[in-house]
Amino acid sequence: MEPYLPMLAQTPLFASLTQEELPHMLSCLQARHKKFEARQFILHETDSTEDLGVVLHGQVQIITEDAFGNRSITAKLGPGELFGQVAASKLAPSSPVSVMTDSESEILLLKFNKLVTPCTRACSFHSRVIENMMNVLAERNLMMNRKLSILSQRTMREKLLTYLVWQSHDKGSTTFSIPFNRDELADYLCVNRSALSREISKMIEEGIISSERNHFTLYDHSPL
């Protein structure tokens, strides 16, 4: 775990902890380090778990499927980002989502109940991690609200433009890369992949955007 301590100290969950404090905190949380192959499920929808995960290396996708087997990508998470909070907290009887690796990945698994319960050692830094966790949950709720706002748009173009405008705001530039390839973007927007490609081509012809793979430029006159 030692090579990952500098990165973990910068994550939202462990913000304000020093690298000297981190090993003690990880011990309190019964941390385990696991490796996964590309396209391997870490957690299936309807699974029960006591663990939340932190991505150490690689990327994971948060996936949901409807009754007809249609897949939707909720998010793609990279190093330092968390998943599995809802399932591990027991707020739901089982996981509402699946978590699958996008590439070869290393994951840190932590016991959720150890995180939210003050430890017997009365660690001075444990309360800071609990507070950080509340901030992480608030940020994840904001992300879900954003996804709902995108999906509530009436047309495919409006969904795509809403997503791209938010990406532009987040990156602080009208030229930016998104974390999805074209298939994943279609799954995220819950639209047909071929129809999405046609719409992107039309928007390029109309001078609304330019795009190459997952790299976009959004022009000032882009309508919403």
Side-chain angles (χ1 to χ4, degrees), residues 23-37:
H24 300 290
M25 189 72 246
L26 294 177
S27 175
C28 284
L29 301 182
Q30 298 181 7
R32 289 107 60 220
H33 176 203
K34 291 190 68 175
K35 295 183 179 181
F36 294 86
E37 299 297 324

Side-chain angles (χ1 to χ4, degrees), residues 101-158:
T101 59
D102 195 46
S103 57
E104 289 187 5
S105 301
E106 297 182 43
I107 305 297
L108 182 67
L109 297 173
L110 310 169
K111 290 295 182 185
F112 185 85
N113 68 320
K114 297 294 183 181
L115 189 152
V116 297
T117 305
C119 69
T120 55
R121 294 186 241 176
C123 303
S124 62
F125 44 79
H126 201 123
S127 60
R128 281 180 272 157
V129 175
I130 294 174
E131 182 178 347
N132 291 343
M133 186 65 193
M134 297 304 102
N135 293 332
V136 169
L137 292 173
E139 184 177 344
R140 192 57 53 86
N141 186 58
L142 182 63
M143 182 184 73
M144 293 304 299
N145 287 337
R146 179 179 287 190
K147 175 75 181 287
L148 288 172
S149 179
I150 290 169
L151 295 184
S152 70
Q153 301 301 311
R154 295 185 178 182
T155 68
M156 184 186 307
R157 177 171 294 199
E158 289 171 348

Side-chain angles (χ1 to χ4, degrees), residues 40-56:
Q40 182 178 353
F41 279 94
I42 301 171
L43 182 67
H44 286 92
E45 194 170 344
T46 73
D47 280 355
S48 178
T49 182
E50 297 180 347
D51 299 323
L52 63 87
V54 181
V55 182
L56 295 175

Side-chain angles (χ1 to χ4, degrees), residues 164-176:
L164 294 178
V165 167
W166 264 324
Q167 287 292 307
S168 175
H169 288 169
D170 288 347
K171 305 292 172 53
S173 173
T174 55
T175 298
F176 51 90

